[in-house]
Amino acid sequence: IAISTLQRELLEGATALLAVAVLVPLALTIFAPAKGGHAARLRGRLRAAGGSAAAIFALAFLVVFREGFETVLFFQALLTDASAVAVLSGLGLGTLAVLLAGWAVLGLGRRLPVALLFKVTGALLAILSVVMTGAGIRGLQTAALLPATPVSWFPDNEVMQVWLGLFPVAEALAAQGAVLAIYAVALLWARRPSRAPLRV
């Protein structure tokens, strides 16, 4: 499908921001300490299914579908700004890494530090959401859908823009600051001291 440069930027920006809308709640869910964290929450959902094959199938389908939907969003965003060869090469390496990780999980069993794995994964998702927020806002600015206010105090560095999504424009930096603030509030809320119940 032939599209103009502005349409490409619009597609890239909108896709990136849609991916952020999926990433932020996912990262917050992984970091949530309630009832043992993400793994314990998934086990609780499986127990709540009551052994029903249909309920377990529906839960598994929704979990895999959500991950697949996120993957489609990420690859769509990549394909608007990179060659198909580079994206498919990354897909191949990623598939190999997933197979190796699956083999490690099945081979190591309980010796695998699952809690640490979820923390690292959550941190990577949080970083990715901040990067994609900047890229998404900048894409919409390039498509002339959002205003762009340059800031002189922030460095105009191509490496920072390509790899970190950090652009010297106020709107993108403000949006990324908002995403970071969401994570900071969630982290502070999770670390708040629990109050003992009042006894009469």
Side-chain angles (χ1 to χ4, degrees), residues 80-174:
T80 59
D81 199 37
S83 68
V85 174
V87 173
L88 291 176
S89 299
L91 175 61
L93 290 175
T95 302
L96 178 61
V98 168
L99 292 175
L100 290 175
W103 174 82
V105 169
L106 295 176
L108 297 177
R110 293 185 178 181
R111 290 177 290 176
L112 188 70
V114 177
L116 177 61
L117 180 64
F118 275 119
K119 287 180 180 178
V120 172
T121 302
L124 291 175
L125 290 177
I127 293 171
L128 183 60
S129 66
V130 173
V131 173
M132 296 190 79
T133 297
I137 295 294
R138 190 58 183 150
L140 296 183
Q141 289 175 331
T142 306
L145 289 180
L146 289 178
T149 308
V151 289
S152 58
W153 51 267
F154 197 84
D156 186 2
N157 186 287
E158 185 177 355
V159 174
M160 293 175 63
Q161 294 171 12
V162 172
W163 293 101
L164 301 178
L166 296 173
F167 298 89
V169 288
E171 292 79 9
L173 293 174

